[in-house]
Structures are given as structure tokens and as C-alpha cells.
Amino acid sequence: MPTSAIRLLTALLIFLVLALPAVGSEGKAAVKGRFLGGQPTEYPSWFKESFLELAEDLNEARAQGRRVLVLFTQDSCPYCHALVDRNLSQKDIEETMRAHFDVVLINMWGDREVYAVGGQHYTEKQFAAAMKVQFTPTLVFLGDDGKPVLRLNGYLPPDRFKLALEFVAGNHFQNGNFNDYVAANSPPPPAGELAAEDFFKPGPHDLSKIEGGIAVFFEQPQCPACDTLHQGPLTNADTRRIAGELHSIQLDMWSDEAIVTPDGRQLSVRDWARELDVKYAPSIVLFDRGEEIIRGEAFFKTFHTQGILEYARSGEYRDQPSFQRWLEARADHFRELGLDVDIWE
């Protein structure tokens, strides 16, 4: 075969190879990863049919001796589904909700018009941003004056959720905060050991000297939800790596141990947790440059646990103040790489 023909054939073969789609280890063309774990939710018919004029909702509820509960959700939110499926399906919880609360549903990405108690006009997504909603479900219980008397960020298991309902329905917020109520009605467990992780920095802790991101894991002994965190999300290698790149510490939220806070004050852990309004264990509170960035509370899955840690570690919260928007972009990035994303794993 002439040399020119060989060169032409070689060039043609190279072109064909380069033109082929990328293939994975099994010889299949690379495809976008799947998005798993989303759960559509059918909300109870007894939720209030609201025109989202919150002052009017407040007046109607007050006239009936009830309170307004604003529930922020989003489509395909598995945590919202758990709230309905695991909590509101329990007879005593449903009866308490129906007797004492008018539930107003707001989609944190929706475009319906909302008129706040003070008369301000928003779309649903603007109102969610103004309320600094970072997780769904977020539940905001309003007092008679329209100001929040309790806020729950994220899903709470039924036992703690019942305490929250009792706290508001019984007007206990008039005599103290939710932490006091929990301590009185669900006392701290006996002393015991917290689950250890090798990425936790040893004490004593002076957080005022730390440059960079800080992750404070508030936990307590004999805590099933804490055990779930350690036996689930914190076994993930990438999550552990990110936690190790932060200054991660673990604190017993009921302890009298002294700590120097990021702003340089010396407090007991118990008093600091109370000041931060840490309501339940486990809670992970993220700081950078002495300021709280974001927190995750009570119920954790791997994707979201890793997400809040990386959101703080990377510093990307400075450019994208919406954690949910940032998390959506992160999921899309992984899927473009051909990786499945399971938000309920």
C-alpha cells in the first residue's frame, strides 16, 4: 500500500476514535447520573386554604384561639414527605395540629404573591429568602403579634416534634425558651461517652484563635439520632475528609465544660448552646471568620451533611447565599460527571 494511503487511513482511524462518545469501564457511553431520593408529597386536606395574606390569616386564627404555622416546603422534598408520612400520620399529632394551628403552606421556590404581616409584598421565593429559609421543611410558628415564637429548621422526629407543638399550643414560650421546655419535659440523658471520630480536634477549645472554617458538633450521650449520624453520614469517606479539613469539634450540649467562643468570650458549653438556640442533638453549627454560616439540625442524610460541611469549607457561601441553590448546582455537577446523586441515602 502506498505511504500516502497509509497516512490517510491512519488519520481517518484517529478521527473516528476521537469522534466516539466517552465510555465507562463497562464499555457503555457515559450518561448523566441519576437523581434519586426525591419524594412527592400530598399535604393534608385540613391545611388552611390561604390567599397568603398573613395578617388576615393571623386575625382569623386569633379569633378562633389558634395560631398560624407557616410551613416552607419545596417539590420532591423527602424531608417534607417524612413530616407528613411519619409525623402527621400519628393520631395525637394530627389532633393537636388541627385543634391549635392553621397551617399555611409556602413553596420556597414558588411565585404566588405573599403579603407579610407588616404589609410587605413578596413572591413566595422572595419571602423565603427574606425569612432566611435554607432547609425544607422549615416551620415558623407565629405569635399573636405575627412575630415568630418558635422556628424549626428541617425535619424533626415525632417525639421532639410533639414537644414543639406542646410548647407553642400551651403558650409555654411566654415563660421561657424551647430549650428550657425540652430540658424540663425531656431531661438530658445520664452522663456517658459521646461517639468519637478521629477528625474531632481535642480540647480545651479556644475557637477565637482558629482561622478558617469551624464545625461544631453539638451532641449528647445516649442519643439515637447522634448514633445514626455517626453510623451513617459520617462513615462516608468524602464527608470525613471535608470534616477533617475544617476545625471540627464535638461538644456535649448539656456540659458545663468551659469554651472560648469564636468571638472570644468564655462560656460553658451549655450556656453557649442555649445562646445559639441549639434545640436538639445532634446539631452541626458552621462558622467562618467568627460568624455563623449555616447549621444542620436533628435529622441527617449523607448528601446534605456533606453539603453543609463543604458549603462552609469552600467559602462558596460568600458568592451563593442560598444553600439550596448551591446544593442543586453541586448535585448537577456530580450528575454531569456520570455520578448518581441520592439525597435520601
Side-chain angles (χ1 to χ4, degrees):
M1 181 181 293
T3 301
S4 59
I6 293 174
R7 289 175 177 172
L8 179 61
L9 180 59
T10 301
L12 179 60
L13 288 172
I14 292 173
F15 171 79
L16 290 173
V17 169
L18 293 176
L20 288 173
V23 296
S25 59
E26 298 179 358
K28 298 179 181 179
V31 295
K32 189 172 184 178
R34 295 172 298 169
F35 185 82
L36 306 171
Q39 291 272 17
T41 303
E42 182 177 346
Y43 293 96
S45 59
W46 47 266
F47 278 14
K48 183 178 176 66
E49 289 289 339
S50 172
F51 294 105
L52 302 187
E53 296 180 3
L54 297 185
E56 184 63 27
D57 290 331
L58 199 66
N59 289 335
E60 292 177 3
R62 189 188 301 115
Q64 299 176 31
R66 300 157 65 84
R67 298 204 177 277
V68 170
L69 165 55
V70 180
L71 173 58
F72 292 91
T73 67
Q74 60 182 317
D75 295 340
S76 299
C77 164
Y79 300 91
C80 305
H81 182 83
L83 175 68
V84 173
D85 189 55
R86 301 182 186 181
N87 294 22
L88 303 191
S89 62
Q90 297 193 21
K91 186 173 185 292
D92 56 343
I93 290 180
E94 179 184 338
E95 288 177 346
T96 300
M97 294 276 285
R98 298 185 71 164
H100 296 282
F101 300 100
D102 286 342
V103 184
V104 175
L105 200 62
I106 290 182
N107 184 335
M108 74 174 293
W109 304 119
D111 292 313
R112 292 185 301 166
E113 294 184 336
V114 179
Y115 291 88
V117 174
Q120 302 92 332
H121 176 231
Y122 304 93
T123 62
E124 289 174 285
K125 58 176 171 278
Q126 289 170 341
F127 184 54
M131 293 292 290
K132 301 187 185 307
V133 173
Q134 296 281 29
F135 298 95
T136 54
T138 289
L139 298 89
V140 181
F141 297 83
L142 301 183
D144 288 337
D145 58 0
K147 295 179 180 178
V149 297
L150 179 65
R151 175 172 172 148
L152 305 176
N153 300 308
Y155 173 75
L156 273 186
D159 56 345
R160 189 56 60 89
F161 187 70
K162 290 177 186 177
L163 282 177
L165 296 180
E166 293 167 2
F167 174 73
V168 178
N171 297 322
H172 298 290
F173 58 85
Q174 296 175 351
N175 303 313
N177 64 25
F178 185 52
N179 287 3
D180 295 331
Y181 186 77
V182 170
N185 293 274
S186 180
E193 297 294 325
L194 302 179
E197 300 291 353
D198 58 13
F199 54 76
F200 288 142
K201 304 296 191 291
H205 301 291
D206 183 350
L207 301 182
S208 68
K209 296 181 178 179
I210 304 304
E211 296 182 1
I214 299 171
V216 183
F217 289 68
F218 286 98
E219 302 185 40
Q220 65 183 24
Q222 301 184 29
C223 166
C226 302
D227 294 340
T228 299
L229 172 65
H230 288 272
Q231 295 166 11
L234 295 187
T235 63
N236 179 276
D238 286 331
T239 304
R240 297 180 66 83
R241 174 185 56 78
I242 297 168
E245 292 175 4
L246 290 160
H247 186 90
S248 295
I249 68 171
Q250 181 188 48
L251 301 174
D252 180 343
M253 64 183 288
W254 302 105
S255 170
D256 291 321
E257 173 191 355
I259 187 170
V260 179
T261 65
D263 59 2
R265 294 173 299 129
Q266 183 168 312
L267 295 172
S268 70
V269 174
R270 179 194 295 264
D271 288 342
W272 192 37
R274 175 189 172 96
E275 182 180 281
L276 290 173
D277 196 28
V278 173
K279 300 181 180 70
Y280 23 74
S283 290
I284 308 174
V285 186
L286 285 301
F287 297 87
D288 192 14
R289 303 176 183 180
E291 299 291 331
E292 181 179 337
I293 302 164
I294 194 170
R295 64 175 65 186
E297 301 174 300
F299 189 79
F300 293 89
K301 293 291 186 178
T302 298
F303 182 68
H304 287 85
T305 303
Q306 187 180 117
I308 62 171
L309 294 173
E310 178 62 15
Y311 187 58
R313 187 210 65 80
S314 67
E316 292 175 8
Y317 70 89
R318 301 186 193 104
D319 298 319
Q320 175 50 275
S322 169
F323 174 68
Q324 289 292 335
R325 291 292 191 199
W326 178 88
L327 198 64
E328 181 180 358
R330 178 177 170 83
D332 287 343
H333 172 70
F334 286 149
R335 294 179 63 212
E336 289 296 338
L337 296 176
L339 302 173
D340 292 342
V341 171
D342 189 342
I343 62 175
W344 199 239
E345 180 182 4

